[in-house]
């Protein structure tokens, strides 16, 4: 880079007083995806003992600096204390729950603002948009502005006085979600000052927060971090910017670009493409982050001018990386390319759509053995790029379901058939629902039908597909496996089939303590808008104090049903002296969707209450940041939606510290 730019950012690092916090961890999160598989690179990830510091250090300007590893060595200091919180424990990845965890936010839409008619929140176009509340909703806009004016100074004050690592990170992300400056708070400078924190997790949290902030002035800083420039090393006070900070800088660039203007997207695209083409940077986490970030830039063929040029530049770069022979260990990173391409192109029949559909169809039925994640991603991408009801791709997806070798790719094919929709796919999915393997295939067929019916219902002004609803209800009332009941419950909710509400309430009343069933019943009832279920769901929530997953699902269901009275109950639970982090993560995750001015006042008192545990105060900070977030969906939703969560690396999701694991 140019010398003047390097000197400018170096001076910025010094001028903002970069902090060195001795022991800082990050905030609580939520479980979304699986732990990464045994990785060829890096093989040390599961061998670092908990609670240990860096193995060796050497001084650089008086700051302890961990020994910088080779690409196959250990991290600079490693994520030694979990930032996120696994909720619900490990699941069988071939089961339906993994897909729902990744995709639920776009259907639940718990933040109760309505989307503008031009970009319906269930549409493919909405995914690419900035996800803000509609500009014409002045009442809600003023409400959020008022809450931000209360919350931002409080989070900043808590951050300044914090010595606890959980509080520090929760405040950083909370302030970034608000994304505002005041006369005394310059958000970019605050976040930059934590890039040199002693603790690895705080450094990477600060890098990600720069992207979450939606401030264009953060882009040059993220560039220096991702490209590991001399200025980036000054900012982090390291002899190299470690791979986790670089990965989170890439994720942050994607978020920043998606919420920015065309110039921001063009600049971010150039930085990401430069990093992807760097042959000296072969770390798999960095590559996965770059590919995903390119996929969420927020450009599409329908846009013109600068955005279209960004698209034309991005697609060849992704294809070149996808088709390069980089060894089997890199195929997990390459597996993210089909979904990135599909996210960029959307649905259509243009030349690029046709060309890439043929490429992914070829790979779905490849004769040469490739990594299973390639087949899975090809199946997902074909469902996202194909026009509604198109027959030829649907035929191929159903063919793969029938004869394909990879089980997960077969299940993803069923979901993609639901995404494409049309009468032929509806008939096929109903057939699988009736005749498929009961506990393995039928839940996926149910979800495919739920997706298909949800799209149809939105396009027809709320009209419910009663044939699909009746078929799902028959399965619900006859199946014996309770986790499978959960899939049918969610699918019925997506379908909006209120005839199922009464038997679902009866099941919930009879089995309120079954973790694999009760939470999904709450979710299904909320999705179909059954107000008669509010009292029952509140009962389930209060009886689930020691069952965080059900507690979370019940609380979010109540938020979806607009039961604002539940907020005070959640605050009471959050203020209790209870060290269960999964429980507090569930409470904070629900509170961020329900909050109002009265809720904020109570939470602000709790934030300053020294008698509360530090962890409780950290989750209070996380809830406050979510409440004042003007975005309709969580910042990481754009990475979770339609993702291939089987092609996972540590910084994407490891149940603790990946971007998909965070509140």
């Amino acid at each position: 880079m140019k010398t003047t730019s390097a000197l400018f950012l170096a001076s910025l690092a010094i001028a903002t007083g970069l902090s060195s916090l001795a022991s800082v961890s990050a905030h609580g999160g939520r479980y979304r995806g699986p732990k990464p598989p045994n990785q060829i690179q890096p093989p040390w990830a599961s061998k670092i003992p908990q609670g240990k510091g860096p193995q060796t250090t050497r001084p650089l300007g008086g700051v302890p600096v961990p020994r910088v590893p080779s690409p196959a060595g250990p991290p600079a200091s490693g994520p030694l204390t979990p930032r996120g919180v696994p909720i619900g424990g490990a699941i069988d990845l071939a089961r339906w729950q993994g897909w729902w965890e990744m995709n639920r936010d776009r259907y639940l839409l718990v933040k109760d603002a309505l989307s503008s008619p031009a970009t319906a929140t269930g549409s493919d176009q909405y995914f690419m948009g900035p996800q803000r509340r509609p500009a014409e909703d002045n009442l809600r806009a003023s409400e959020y502005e008022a809450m931000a004016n209360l919350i931002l100074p409080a989070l900043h004050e808590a951050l300044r006085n914090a010595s606890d690592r959980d509080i520090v990170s929760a405040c950083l992300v909370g302030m970034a979600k608000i994304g505002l400056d005041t006369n005394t708070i310059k958000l970019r400078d605050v976040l930059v000052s934590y890039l040199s924190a002693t603790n690895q997790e705080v450094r990477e949290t600060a890098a990600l927060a720069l992207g979450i902030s939606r401030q264009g002035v953060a882009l040059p800083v993220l560039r220096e971090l991702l490209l590991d420039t001399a200025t980036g090393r000054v900012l982090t006070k390291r002899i190299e910017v470690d791979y986790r900070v670089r990965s989170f800088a890439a994720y942050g660039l994607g978020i920043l670009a998606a919420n920015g203007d065309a110039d921001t997207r063009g600049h971010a695209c150039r930085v990401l493409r430069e990093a992807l083409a760097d042959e000296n940077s072969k770390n798999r986490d960095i590559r996965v982050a770059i590919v995903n970030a390119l996929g969420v830039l927020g450009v599409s063929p329908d846009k013109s001018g600068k955005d279209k040029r960004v698209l034309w530049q991005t697609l060849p770069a992704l294809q070149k990386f996808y088709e390069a022979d980089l060894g089997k260990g890199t195929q997990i990173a390459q597996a993210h390319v089909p979904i990135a391409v599909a996210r960029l192109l959307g649905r259509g029949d243009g030349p690029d759509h046709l060309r890439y559909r043929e490429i992914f169809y070829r790979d779905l039925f490849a004769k040469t053995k490739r990594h299973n994640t390639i087949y899975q991603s090809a199946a997902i991408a074909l469902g996202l790029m194909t026009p509604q009801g198109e027959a030829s791709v649907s035929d191929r997806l159903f063919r793969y379901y029938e004869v394909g070798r990879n089980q997960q790719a077969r299940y993803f094919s069923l979901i993609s058939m639901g995404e494409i929709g049309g009468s032929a796919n509806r008939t096929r999915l109903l057939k699988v629902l009736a005749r498929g393997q009961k506990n393995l295939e039928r839940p996926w067929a149910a979800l495919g039908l739920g997706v298909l019916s949800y799209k149809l219902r939105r396009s027809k002004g709320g009209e419910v597909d009663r044939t699909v609803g009746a078929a799902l209800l028959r399965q619900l009332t006859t199946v014996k496996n309770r986790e499978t009941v959960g899939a049918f419950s969610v699918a019925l909710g997506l379908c909006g089939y209120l005839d199922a509400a009464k038997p679902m309430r009866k099941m919930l009343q009879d089995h309120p303590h079954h973790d694999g069933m009760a939470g999904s019943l709450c979710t299904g009832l909320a999705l179909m808008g059954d107000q008669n279920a509010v009292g029952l769901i509140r009962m389930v929530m209060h009886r689930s104090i020691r069952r965080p997953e059900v507690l979370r699902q019940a609380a979010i269901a109540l938020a979806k049903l607009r039961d604002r009275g539940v907020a005070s109950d959640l605050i009471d639970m959050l203020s209790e002296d209870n060290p269960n982090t999964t429980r507090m993560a569930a409470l904070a995750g629900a509170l961020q969707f329900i909050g109002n001015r009265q809720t904020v006042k109570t939470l602000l008192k709790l934030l300053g209450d020294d008698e509360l545990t530090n962890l409780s105060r950290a989750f209070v900070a996380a809830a406050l940041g979510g409440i004042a977030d003007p975005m309709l969906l969580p910042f990481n939703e754009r990475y979770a939606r339609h993702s291939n969560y089987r092609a996972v690396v540590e910084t994407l999701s490891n149940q603790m510290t990946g971007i998909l694991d965070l509140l």
Side-chain angles (χ1 to χ4, degrees):
M1 67 172 294
K2 294 182 180 179
T3 305
T4 53
S5 176
L7 290 175
F8 168 74
L9 282 174
S11 336
L12 171 66
I14 298 170
T16 52
L18 297 171
S19 304
S20 289
L21 301 182
S23 179
V24 186
S25 179
H27 63 290
R30 60 177 176 176
Y31 169 68
R32 270 192 187 267
K35 290 183 179 179
N38 293 331
Q39 300 187 30
I40 297 174
Q41 176 191 348
W44 37 262
S46 62
K47 299 179 181 179
I48 302 175
Q50 294 293 316
K52 301 292 185 181
Q55 296 179 356
T56 57
T57 61
R58 48 188 174 186
L60 178 65
V63 180
V65 182
R67 178 173 296 172
V68 178
S70 65
S77 67
L80 305 178
T81 305
R83 174 173 66 235
V85 178
I87 293 183
I91 60 173
D92 180 349
L93 300 182
R95 295 190 177 275
W96 65 273
Q97 290 95 333
W99 181 88
W100 177 246
E101 283 297 305
M102 291 293 170
N103 291 274
R104 65 178 186 229
D105 288 317
R106 63 184 165 123
Y107 296 111
L108 286 168
L109 291 173
V110 183
K111 284 203 169 183
D112 60 0
L114 298 175
S115 63
S116 65
T119 53
T121 48
S123 70
D124 297 318
Q125 291 80 8
Y126 177 72
F127 170 74
M128 294 307 185
Q131 302 172 293
R132 289 187 182 276
R133 297 176 179 274
E136 63 270 19
D137 192 354
N138 295 324
L139 178 62
R140 296 189 190 281
S142 63
E143 178 82 2
Y144 270 71
E145 184 178 354
M147 289 192 294
N149 289 335
L150 290 172
I151 293 171
L152 183 62
L155 289 175
H156 186 235
E157 184 66 18
L159 178 64
R160 289 177 57 195
N161 297 327
S163 58
D164 177 77
R165 51 195 179 182
D166 297 310
I167 295 176
V168 168
S169 289
C171 289
L172 288 175
V173 173
M175 292 175 66
K177 288 179 179 179
I178 297 171
L180 298 176
D181 290 334
T182 69
N183 290 334
T184 57
I185 302 171
K186 300 304 178 187
L187 181 57
R188 191 276 307 269
D189 294 348
V190 172
L191 299 176
V192 166
S193 71
Y194 283 87
L195 290 173
S196 61
T198 303
N199 184 271
Q200 165 69 37
E201 294 173 12
V202 172
R203 296 198 301 275
E204 65 196 48
T205 299
L208 178 62
L210 284 163
I212 297 172
S213 73
R214 306 181 298 279
Q215 293 194 349
V217 291
L219 198 153
V221 181
L222 291 170
R223 177 191 185 278
E224 309 306 318
L225 297 175
L226 174 57
L227 298 181
D228 186 22
T229 65
T231 302
R233 297 172 187 182
V234 170
L235 290 168
T236 58
K237 293 188 178 178
R238 294 295 187 274
I239 59 175
E240 281 188 1
V241 182
D242 62 81
Y243 83 94
R244 289 187 65 91
V245 170
R246 294 179 66 191
S247 298
F248 281 100
Y251 288 124
L253 273 170
I255 297 169
L256 187 65
N259 290 307
D261 57 19
D263 288 333
T264 300
R265 286 189 285 276
H267 189 173
C269 176
R270 287 192 295 274
V271 174
L272 291 164
R273 286 189 289 110
E274 181 181 350
L276 187 63
D278 184 1
E279 295 183 356
N280 295 320
S281 182
K282 299 181 180 179
N283 180 277
R284 190 161 58 179
D285 280 80
I286 296 173
R287 284 171 160 173
V288 168
I290 293 169
V291 170
N292 276 276
L294 286 169
V296 302
L297 285 176
V299 298
S300 74
D302 298 330
K303 296 185 178 181
S304 59
K306 295 178 181 178
D307 275 327
K308 185 164 286 189
R309 285 196 294 274
V310 169
L311 180 66
W312 290 341
Q313 293 166 347
T314 304
L315 291 175
L318 287 170
Q319 184 175 349
K320 180 179 178 181
F321 175 68
Y322 182 63
E323 295 180 342
D325 185 6
L326 302 174
K328 189 172 182 180
T330 306
Q331 288 186 19
I332 283 183
Q334 292 171 313
H336 291 269
V337 171
I339 296 169
V341 169
R343 285 169 169 169
L344 288 167
L345 287 175
R347 299 189 189 282
D349 268 329
D352 285 329
H353 292 89
L354 296 174
R355 179 161 59 90
Y356 282 106
R357 286 210 301 263
E358 283 302 314
I359 290 173
F360 301 147
Y361 170 65
R362 175 202 68 196
D363 291 340
L364 185 62
F365 286 92
K367 295 180 180 179
T368 303
K369 175 65 177 175
R370 300 195 70 185
H371 199 282
N372 286 334
T373 55
I374 298 288
Y375 312 134
Q376 296 157 10
S377 293
I380 295 170
L382 288 168
L384 303 181
M385 298 171 62
T386 304
Q388 297 293 325
E390 201 276 340
S392 63
V393 174
S394 299
D395 292 344
R396 294 170 176 180
L397 287 168
F398 187 64
R399 178 64 177 164
Y400 190 85
Y401 160 73
E402 290 184 313
V403 303
R405 295 182 178 181
N406 182 257
Q407 185 182 52
Q408 188 67 72
R410 293 177 61 240
Y411 298 157
F412 284 157
S413 295
L414 295 176
I415 297 293
S416 286
M417 289 162 59
E419 292 282 359
I420 296 170
S423 59
N425 282 330
R426 177 176 175 272
T427 299
R428 288 164 171 164
L429 289 170
L430 284 169
K431 179 180 178 181
V432 178
L433 182 71
R435 303 178 186 177
Q437 295 181 27
K438 289 185 178 180
N439 298 330
L440 294 176
E441 297 176 348
R442 293 189 192 186
W444 289 95
L447 289 176
L449 285 165
V451 170
L452 185 151
S453 301
Y454 179 85
K455 287 174 171 281
L456 189 64
R457 184 158 56 99
R458 292 188 66 86
S459 67
K460 292 191 174 183
E463 180 181 339
V464 175
D465 188 330
R466 300 190 62 80
T467 300
V468 169
L472 291 168
L473 180 56
R474 280 195 298 273
Q475 294 294 325
L476 179 84
T477 54
T478 57
V479 72
K480 295 181 180 179
N481 184 288
R482 292 176 180 175
E483 289 191 4
T484 304
V485 166
F488 298 140
S489 302
V490 170
L492 282 162
L494 293 172
C495 186
Y497 191 61
L498 273 169
D499 288 7
K502 186 175 180 179
M504 287 171 66
R505 290 197 300 269
K506 179 66 166 59
M507 286 183 174
L508 183 58
Q509 190 170 11
D510 292 344
H511 304 283
H513 300 297
H514 191 280
D515 288 4
M517 180 178 176
S520 297
L521 284 164
C522 292
T523 298
L525 290 164
L527 284 167
M528 64 178 62
D530 180 27
Q531 292 294 328
N532 293 326
V534 168
L536 179 59
I537 295 174
R538 291 196 71 178
M539 179 271 291
V540 170
M541 184 186 75
H542 283 287
R543 291 185 180 181
S544 303
I545 299 299
R546 294 180 177 84
R547 295 155 55 235
E549 176 63 5
V550 178
L551 172 63
R552 175 182 67 85
Q553 292 181 81
I556 290 178
L558 289 169
K560 174 69 174 175
L561 291 169
R562 307 182 194 280
D563 178 23
R564 289 191 176 271
V566 73
S568 59
D569 296 340
L570 296 177
I571 289 174
D572 289 342
M573 295 179 191
L574 191 63
S575 61
E576 293 174 2
D577 186 13
N578 189 315
N580 188 314
T581 54
T582 57
R583 175 176 174 271
M584 286 188 284
L587 295 169
L591 273 170
Q592 68 177 331
F593 297 123
I594 305 172
N596 51 34
R597 290 193 191 189
Q598 188 57 47
T599 308
V600 166
K601 291 178 181 178
T602 305
L603 287 170
L604 288 174
K605 291 179 181 178
L606 292 175
L607 182 64
D609 186 352
D610 292 334
E611 295 185 4
L612 278 182
T613 64
N614 286 329
L615 194 56
S616 293
R617 291 176 62 210
F619 279 110
V620 168
L624 284 166
I627 289 170
D629 186 352
M631 313 306 281
L632 281 170
L633 295 171
F635 72 89
N636 48 7
E637 191 273 346
R638 65 183 68 251
Y639 288 119
R641 177 187 294 214
H642 303 307
S643 65
N644 182 359
Y645 50 87
R646 302 299 296 267
V648 71
V649 292
E650 291 280 341
T651 52
L652 185 66
S653 177
N654 64 355
Q655 301 187 25
M656 295 184 295
T657 61
I659 189 174
L660 299 182
D661 306 319
L662 307 182
L663 282 175

